[in-house]
Amino acid sequence: MSAQPVDGGRGPLRLVLATSAAMATLGNWPLWQALAELGLLQSAKGWGLAAALAVAVFGALVALQSLLAWRFTLKPVAIFLLLAAAAGAHYMLAYRIVIDQTMLVNVLQTNPGEAADLLSLRMVATLVLGGLLPAWLVWRTPVQPAPWGRQLGHNLGAALVGLALVVAAVLASFQPLSSTMRNHKQLRYLLNPLNSVYALGMVASEPLRRNDRVLLPLGTDARLGPSHAPGAKPPLLLLVLGETARAGNFALNGYGRPTNPALSQLPVVSWRNAWSCGTNTAASVPCMFSHLGREDFASRQANHENLLDVAQRAGLAVLWLDNQAGCKGVCARVPNVETGNLKHPTLCSDGECWDPIMLDGLDARIAALPAAQRDKGVLLVMHQMGSHGPAYFKRVPPAFKRFLPECSTINLQDCSREQLLNAYDNTIAYTDQFLAQAIGWLQQHQASHDTAMVYVSDHGESLGENNLYLHGLPYAIAPDVQKQVPWITWLSPGFAQRQKLDAACLAGRADAAISHDHYFHSVLGLLDVLTSVYQPRLDAYAACRGR
């Protein structure tokens, strides 16, 4: 690092001020755009609010960087913040997402295939011009800190001035600021790159709030119920875990387009008032397989075993097939198979496999499970690629695209509303085809098993409504389309008789409010697994059982 005298104007403070000013202004373009779209920049008071926000972000960044303005930390911290600000600005502008703890977890758990789907020339340009170029300038700028004692004073002084600016900006605009943040909570997640810093801090401090090294046992008293009597057929229950499917885009739920041509010909029951546990896979999947429910799961202080552990402990064979980005720890203690990277002449292309790959060779996979458990029954989970965006066009083979022309770019805002809906609805129609194939496979096993299928998606999706795309908004502010999910059930006659489930009653519950909170208990009920953790009131099928 080149040295220049502090008196020559090359002290750390100048670099802190310059980078903080750039990020607080240009780096917060998504915030200014959101304020404009909300009509908050149409008056002098609105511009005053924007100025106060800029000053507050600037002051917070000055305080943060000043505390770390030492020889070996100054430039790495500034470069990290610049890159985070550039990346955050791109995705917040491109898809109108916000950045919080769950979004950061999504980023950290993204696999190479998902990351490739998000690459675009626009993203590269933003990262280069908004992140890499300023980072290069920071790295090339010669800085000479003062002796450590004097530098400590400088750093603390600058940090106090930065905090004073934050306090002054908040006090100067307290009334409009508090009103705006109360009425438009999403704005607090647009303060760039403070949103990323806060999210990173929450993720890093999670071990202090929850002991992830301990896994508490669950359902240690689990056993099979009376329907598993000697001589009875064993159950074969298929759980299809959907991805990014909106309940409102299913023709079974009243959607005006023929997105369910196959399922509409089958005796399925579709519940159209089902709600997710989260707005992203990392939050929803572990939550829906938990016994805790959404609120208790979010505030848990320790991790527990899940639905699959209880089913396996009761004596059933369990198998998880994953055609997505992993099971998020849910399948860690049961047999599991990754299918997304398999090679198949017709079911895989460009390093990705379409969902029917999970049906290929399935009989052999089940036959490889322990015979003693298999003879008692099988719980099979298939985790779809489904409607994973933004590259919806990649989720469907060309021969199965029903709605054209479709959006064939990840820059969703560049597509017309019709093209975007066509691309997304193609994924729903292909899921319909896959589910019908899965039911066909189950029907082939009715002679030896009582078979059933339950399809539930992990979360929904925004398709440009209110200029929002994709998913992952904080649950409290997320639109309903990101939280309302399909819940579809198919029961073979043998399974319905085994469970004494009334089909007319199930159909009559189409508008009953249910959620992922019911999933754990509903599956245990369908499997007739008896355990003290099972709560009949949270079994969505219990009201129609025994009629």
Side-chain angles (χ1 to χ4, degrees):
M1 193 180 296
S2 300
Q4 292 288 337
V6 176
D7 295 338
R10 295 294 187 180
L13 182 58
R14 285 202 173 188
L15 190 62
V16 167
L17 295 175
T19 55
S20 298
M23 289 183 282
T25 52
L26 296 177
N28 273 277
W29 195 259
L31 176 61
W32 316 137
Q33 181 171 296
L35 291 175
E37 291 174 350
L38 291 171
L40 298 176
L41 297 184
Q42 297 178 357
S43 65
K45 183 181 293 186
W47 281 100
L49 170 64
L53 285 171
V55 170
V57 173
F58 171 75
L61 289 172
V62 167
L64 174 63
Q65 292 197 86
S66 294
L67 291 175
L68 299 170
W70 300 95
R71 180 183 300 276
F72 298 110
T73 56
L74 171 64
K75 290 186 176 181
V77 168
I79 289 171
F80 168 78
L81 291 173
L82 287 167
L83 293 175
H90 168 74
Y91 288 111
M92 288 190 289
L93 285 172
Y95 302 114
R96 302 303 176 92
I97 64 168
V98 299
I99 297 176
D100 68 339
Q101 180 181 354
T102 56
M103 186 61 70
L104 183 60
V105 170
N106 276 340
V107 172
L108 295 176
Q109 294 184 357
T110 296
N111 63 25
E114 290 178 318
D117 282 350
L118 295 171
L119 291 175
S120 67
L121 290 177
R122 184 174 301 173
M123 183 200 75
V124 172
T126 302
L127 289 181
V128 170
L129 297 177
L132 291 176
L133 180 58
W136 178 80
L137 292 174
V138 166
W139 189 254
R140 295 287 297 171
T141 299
V143 175
Q144 178 60 53
W148 77 268
R150 194 191 314 167
Q151 190 61 54
L152 175 62
H154 292 170
N155 291 356
L156 291 176
L160 290 174
V161 170
L163 292 176
L165 286 174
V166 174
V167 173
V170 170
L171 292 178
S173 61
F174 182 77
Q175 184 174 354
L177 181 62
S178 62
S179 175
T180 299
M181 290 300 174
R182 183 172 60 252
N183 295 325
H184 307 287
K185 294 180 180 179
Q186 71 275 18
L187 294 178
R188 68 186 67 180
Y189 300 104
L190 297 178
L191 299 174
N192 196 27
L194 298 177
N195 46 9
S196 297
V197 173
Y198 177 78
L200 185 60
M202 291 298 292
V203 171
S205 64
E206 191 169 273
L208 301 177
R209 291 175 279 119
R210 181 172 65 249
N211 187 355
D212 288 329
R213 294 171 296 178
V214 175
L215 182 68
L216 300 179
L218 184 68
T220 55
D221 59 345
R223 65 192 188 280
L224 300 179
S227 68
H228 296 266
K233 293 180 184 178
L236 171 55
L237 176 59
L238 170 60
L239 304 179
V240 179
L241 179 54
E243 168 64 30
T244 320
R246 294 162 44 128
N249 287 62
F250 278 66
L252 292 173
N253 294 333
Y255 189 47
R257 307 183 83 181
T259 53
N260 298 128
L263 290 180
S264 63
Q265 304 301 312
L266 294 170
V268 300
V269 172
S270 182
W271 290 338
R272 49 181 175 255
N273 193 17
W275 299 83
S276 69
C277 188
T279 61
N280 60 80
T281 303
S284 280
V285 172
C287 178
M288 64 192 295
F289 281 83
S290 167
H291 69 296
L292 293 174
R294 184 174 68 85
E295 293 184 1
D296 289 339
F297 185 80
S299 61
R300 70 195 188 283
Q301 295 183 344
N303 288 321
H304 295 76
E305 292 178 334
N306 60 62
L307 171 62
L308 304 187
D309 298 296
V310 177
Q312 185 168 254
R313 179 170 289 122
L316 299 173
V318 180
L319 176 63
W320 180 291
L321 297 172
D322 204 288
N323 197 42
Q324 239 257 33
C327 67
K328 311 305 178 187
V330 173
C331 66
R333 294 165 297 280
V334 302
N336 58 87
V337 177
E338 297 277 350
T339 63
N341 296 321
L342 297 179
K343 307 296 181 184
H344 192 282
T346 59
L347 296 177
C348 302
S349 176
D350 297 328
E352 179 178 312
C353 293
W354 292 297
D355 288 327
I357 190 66
M358 291 185 285
L359 293 168
D360 187 61
L362 183 54
D363 288 324
R365 297 190 191 282
I366 292 177
L369 297 174
Q373 294 175 294
R374 193 177 67 237
D375 292 342
K376 296 177 181 178
V378 177
L379 175 59
L380 179 64
V381 186
M382 293 183 177
H383 187 194
Q384 279 188 279
M385 178 60 78
S387 303
H388 194 283
Y392 307 119
F393 61 95
K394 293 178 63 176
R395 311 285 96 95
V396 183
F400 290 87
K401 295 181 184 290
R402 298 174 56 88
F403 308 106
L404 296 171
E406 69 171 358
C407 180
S408 57
T409 174
I410 65 169
N411 299 316
L412 303 182
Q413 67 276 24
D414 292 343
C415 297
S416 68
R417 174 68 174 171
E418 178 188 11
Q419 291 171 332
L420 180 54
L421 279 177
N422 284 346
Y424 183 81
D425 285 346
N426 280 333
T427 68
I428 301 298
Y430 192 54
T431 287
D432 174 82
Q433 173 73 20
F434 168 64
L435 294 178
Q437 286 182 258
I439 291 173
W441 177 83
L442 289 169
Q443 289 172 328
Q444 295 172 13
H445 291 76
Q446 289 183 106
S448 58
H449 293 77
D450 291 328
T451 59
M453 182 200 75
V454 176
Y455 165 79
V456 183
S457 185
D458 59 350
H459 55 78
E461 186 84 320
S462 286
L463 297 174
E465 299 91 354
N466 298 315
N467 289 320
L468 294 175
Y469 297 90
L470 302 182
H471 53 267
L473 283 177
Y475 201 88
I477 64 173
D480 286 351
V481 291
Q482 292 190 24
K483 297 183 287 189
Q484 194 168 6
V485 295
W487 186 313
I488 298 171
T489 305
W490 174 85
L491 306 174
S492 69
F495 198 98
Q497 183 178 2
R498 170 196 196 93
Q499 281 281 311
K500 298 181 175 60
L501 284 170
D502 184 276
C505 175
L506 292 174
R509 288 177 52 79
D511 292 312
I514 57 175
S515 73
H516 281 170
D517 288 5
H518 295 81
Y519 191 76
F520 175 95
H521 307 279
S522 299
V523 173
L524 286 184
L526 289 175
L527 291 170
D528 192 18
V529 170
L530 305 180
T531 171
S532 58
V533 296
Y534 166 74
Q535 298 184 45
R537 67 180 182 82
L538 292 176
D539 183 343
Y541 300 94
C544 297
R545 186 174 288 121
R547 295 194 173 197

